[in-house]
C-alpha cells in the first residue's frame, strides 16, 4: 500500500484576506464549495491502494486539520506537528522516519502538497500507477507538467531516456526559465513525489547529511498523543531550512520523471484561482452575493455582504466580515506586502 504524505505547512498569505494565520489556505474551500484543498488532496488518493495518511503541518493548525480529516471519514492518521516549518526537505524527512517506524523502510510514500488542484482524477490515478514500478526500483519519482509560461517559482526538469531526469533546476532565473520554455525540452516539476522511505532518506543523507541528522535527532525525541506526533521545538529549530528540490532533487542521480498530462494547478494567489475557475460571459468569476454591471475580467468573492461592481475590469475584490481586498489582478503576488504590514503596523 502507498502512504499518502500531505504537506500542509504553509499559510498562503497571498490569499489574504481569506487565508489567516489560523485559517491556512489548505483548510479553505477555495475551489470546491464542500471540501477544502487539504480534504480534496486526501480524497484524490482514495482510488489508489493507500494506507492511513501522514499529514505534516504546523502545530497551530492541529485541531482544524484533525477535524477536517475526520469529517471526510479518515479514521486513523499520523499528524506530524512542526513547531515552526523548516521547509519541505525536513518535513518530508519527518514523514519518512514516521513511515519507517509505522510501516517499513520499503514502504512507498506519495508526497502531495495540500494546495494543488487537480480535477482529472483518472489521469492522476493512471500517472501514479505508472510511477510505482520505478519507485520500487528505488528511484525518486517526480511528475512533470507541460510548462505554460516562464514561471520562476517552479522547478524545471529535462527528461532523458526511460524516464531518466537529465537535469533538475529549481526556481531558475527568468532568462533561464524563458530559454527552457522556448527549447520545448523541459517540464515543470509538479511538486508531487513517489519514492520508498529509505530511498529518500538515503539520498538526503548522501547530499544533506546535516538535515538528515538534525531531523533524525528531533524525531527520536518526539512525543505522541492520539494521532498527533509532536516534534520538539528546540531540536527542530536547529535543523537547516531547505526544500526537497534544492536539498535532494537537484543533486540526486536517482531521480526519474513521469509526465503528468491531466490538469494541475498550484493555487498560490488570487490570479491563479481566477485562471482556474469557470468564467461567465464577461470573463468574470463571481462568487457569493455579488452583482456586476459592465464589469469584465474580474474575480469577485463575497463572504458576508452584497458586493456590487460597475464598469471595472481586471480587479480582484474579496470581501470578508472584517477586511476587504481591492486589487489590480496583475498585482496578485503583492498581497504578501500588505500581510506583512498588517503584522508590523497592527
Ligand atoms: N509541513 C510543511 N512544512 N509543509 C511545508 C513547509 C514546511 O516547512 N514548507 C512548505 N510546505 C508545503 C506547502 O504548504 C506546499 O503545500 C508544499 O509544501 C510546497 O511548498 P511551496 O513553498 O509551495 O513550494 P513551491 O511552490 O515554492 O515549489 C515547489 O512546488 C512547485 C510546484 O507547485 C517545488 O517542488 C517546485 O519545484 C515545484 O515546481
Ligand atoms: Mg507552491
Amino acid at each position: 500500500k502507498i502512504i499518502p504524505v500531505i504537506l500542509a505547512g504553509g499559510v498562503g498569505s497571498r490569499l489574504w484576506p481569506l487565508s489567516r494565520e489560523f485559517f491556512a489556505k489548505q483548510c479553505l474551500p477555495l475551489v470546491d464549495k464542500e471540501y477544502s484543498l487539504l480534504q480534496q488532496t486526501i480524497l484524490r488518493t482514495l482510488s489508489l491502494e493507500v494506507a492511513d495518511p501522514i499529514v505534516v503541518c504546523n502545530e497551530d493548525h492541529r485541531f482544524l486539520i484533525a477535524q477536517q480529516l475526520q469529517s471526510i471519514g479518515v479514521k486513523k492518521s499520523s499528524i506530524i506537528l512542526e513547531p515552526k516549518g523548516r521547509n519541505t526537505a525536513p518535513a518530508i524527512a519527518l514523514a519518512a522516519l514516521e513511515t519507517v517506524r509505522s510501516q517499513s523502510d520499503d514502504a512507498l510514500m506519495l508526497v502531495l502538497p495540500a494546495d494543488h488542484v487537480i480535477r482529472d482524477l483518472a489521469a492522476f490515478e493512471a500517472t501514479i500507477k505508472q510511477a510505482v514500478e520505478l519507485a520500487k526500483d528505488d528511484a525518486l519519482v517526480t511528475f512533470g507538467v507541460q510548462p505554460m509560461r516562464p514561471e520562476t517559482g517552479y522547478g524545471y526538469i529535462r527528461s532523458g531516456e526511460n524516464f531518466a531526469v537529465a537535469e533538475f533546476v529549481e526556481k531558475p532565473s527568468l532568462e533561464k526559465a524563458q530559454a527552457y520554455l522556448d527549447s520545448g525540452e523541459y517540464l515543470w516539476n509538479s511538486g508531487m513525489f513517489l519514492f520508498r522511505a529509505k530511498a529518500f532518506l538515503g539520498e538526503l543523507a548522501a547530499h544533506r547529511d546535516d538535515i538528515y541528522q538534525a531531523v533524525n535527532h528531533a524525531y527520536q525525541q518526539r512525543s505522541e498523543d492520539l494521532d498527533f506526533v509532536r516534534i520538539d521545538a528546540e531540536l527542530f529549530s536547529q535543523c537547516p531550512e531547505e526544500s526537497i528540490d534544492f536539498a535532494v532533487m537537484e543533486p540526486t542521480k536517482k531521480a526519474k520523471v513521469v509526465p503528468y498530462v491531466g490538469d494541475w494547478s498550484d493555487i498560490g494567489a488570487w490570479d491563479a484561482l481566477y485562471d482556474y475557475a469557470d468564467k461567465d460571459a464577461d470573463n468574470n468569476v463571481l462568487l457569493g452575493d455579488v452583482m456586476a454591471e459592465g464589469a469584465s475580467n474580474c474575480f469577485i468573492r463575497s463572504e458576508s455582504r452584497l458586493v456590487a461592481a460597475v464598469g471595472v475590469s481586471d480587479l480582484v475584490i474579496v470581501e470578508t466580515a472584517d477586511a476587504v481586498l481591492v486589487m489590480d489582478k496583475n498585482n496578485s503576488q503583492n498581497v504578501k506586502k500588505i500581510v506583512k504590514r498588517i503584522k508590523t503596523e497592527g
Side-chain angles (χ1 to χ4, degrees):
K1 282 191 178 174
I2 296 173
I3 300 177
V5 172
I6 318 293
L7 300 176
V11 171
S13 57
R14 283 172 300 169
L15 292 173
W16 183 89
L18 216 53
S19 64
R20 299 292 169 95
E21 202 76 2
F22 287 95
F23 216 49
K25 73 169 168 180
Q26 59 272 16
C27 297
L28 296 166
L30 277 176
V31 181
D32 181 291
K33 285 200 185 68
E34 197 172 355
Y35 299 117
S36 70
L37 295 175
L38 169 75
Q39 289 173 317
Q40 285 182 293
T41 305
I42 291 180
L43 291 171
R44 195 180 301 144
T45 65
L46 296 183
S47 58
L48 300 159
E49 285 243 329
V50 287
D52 298 331
I54 297 176
V55 179
V56 192
C57 65
N58 189 280
E59 63 183 11
D60 291 342
H61 300 144
R62 66 190 178 281
F63 294 122
L64 185 57
I65 284 180
Q67 183 262 323
Q68 291 208 344
L69 296 187
Q70 211 171 33
S71 77
I72 53 167
V74 174
K75 294 210 177 61
K76 180 98 191 62
S77 58
S78 296
I79 305 177
I80 302 179
L81 305 179
E82 296 167 312
K84 204 164 179 292
R86 306 303 289 162
N87 211 329
T88 52
I92 296 167
L94 287 171
L97 293 168
E98 176 73 7
T99 298
V100 171
R101 188 195 59 79
S102 64
Q103 306 278 331
S104 76
D105 58 4
D106 277 342
L108 290 177
M109 305 165 54
L110 175 61
V111 178
L112 301 173
D115 49 5
H116 287 175
V117 179
I118 289 174
R119 284 185 182 152
D120 189 348
L121 296 184
F124 174 78
E125 185 186 342
T127 307
I128 304 297
K129 283 186 171 158
Q130 205 187 345
V132 165
E133 289 311 311
L134 296 168
K136 281 185 173 166
D137 284 338
D138 289 337
L140 308 186
V141 186
T142 69
F143 299 91
V145 178
Q146 202 59 48
M148 322 264 279
R149 53 179 193 275
E151 168 70 57
T152 54
Y154 291 167
Y156 287 73
I157 300 168
R158 185 161 57 83
S159 56
E161 274 175 31
N162 288 324
F163 305 105
V165 169
E167 194 185 0
F168 188 113
V169 186
E170 178 65 6
K171 301 196 190 341
S173 64
L174 184 59
E175 294 76 42
K176 280 191 175 165
Q178 187 66 57
Y180 296 157
L181 185 70
D182 295 343
S183 78
E185 287 179 19
Y186 287 76
L187 295 170
W188 275 342
N189 173 32
S190 70
M192 308 185 283
F193 303 96
L194 183 76
F195 39 64
R196 287 195 200 275
K198 69 171 177 200
F200 172 74
L201 290 172
E203 286 306 280
L204 180 64
H207 299 288
R208 288 299 302 266
D209 195 46
D210 54 339
I211 297 179
Y212 174 78
Q213 296 297 344
V215 174
N216 196 27
H217 192 194
Y219 180 77
Q220 299 314 326
Q221 302 300 316
R222 73 192 176 279
S223 62
E224 290 169 29
D225 65 299
L226 302 169
D227 284 352
F228 298 128
V229 180
R230 236 173 243 283
I231 305 302
D232 183 80
E234 176 59 34
L235 291 176
F236 199 57
S237 71
Q238 287 162 28
C239 180
E241 207 168 341
E242 191 55 282
S243 70
I244 178 177
D245 315 285
F246 282 119
V248 177
M249 299 316 296
E250 275 197 350
T252 184
K253 300 260 180 312
K254 292 192 173 174
K256 301 268 176 184
V257 58
V258 171
Y260 171 71
V261 293
D263 69 311
W264 169 90
S265 180
D266 175 345
I267 301 291
W270 289 114
D271 56 343
L273 259 174
Y274 170 83
D275 289 342
Y276 200 79
D278 295 327
K279 289 148 200 89
D280 68 13
D282 299 317
N283 268 321
N284 295 314
V285 176
L286 308 179
L287 304 169
D289 198 4
V290 177
M291 287 174 84
E293 236 347 283
S296 59
N297 301 314
C298 289
F299 180 99
I300 308 176
R301 174 169 178 143
S302 143
E303 290 278 297
S304 58
R305 280 166 288 188
L306 167 67
V307 173
V310 183
V312 292
S313 54
D314 296 291
L315 286 187
V316 169
I317 304 174
V318 180
E319 180 272 345
T320 69
D322 62 349
V324 178
L325 170 71
V326 178
M327 167 176 79
D328 178 336
K329 186 146 49 63
N330 298 315
N331 261 285
S332 293
Q333 302 297 324
N334 290 333
V335 181
K336 264 189 183 162
K337 295 183 182 166
I338 291 289
V339 175
K340 218 176 191 170
R341 282 183 56 186
I342 294 170
K343 273 187 191 154
T344 53
E345 297 170 25

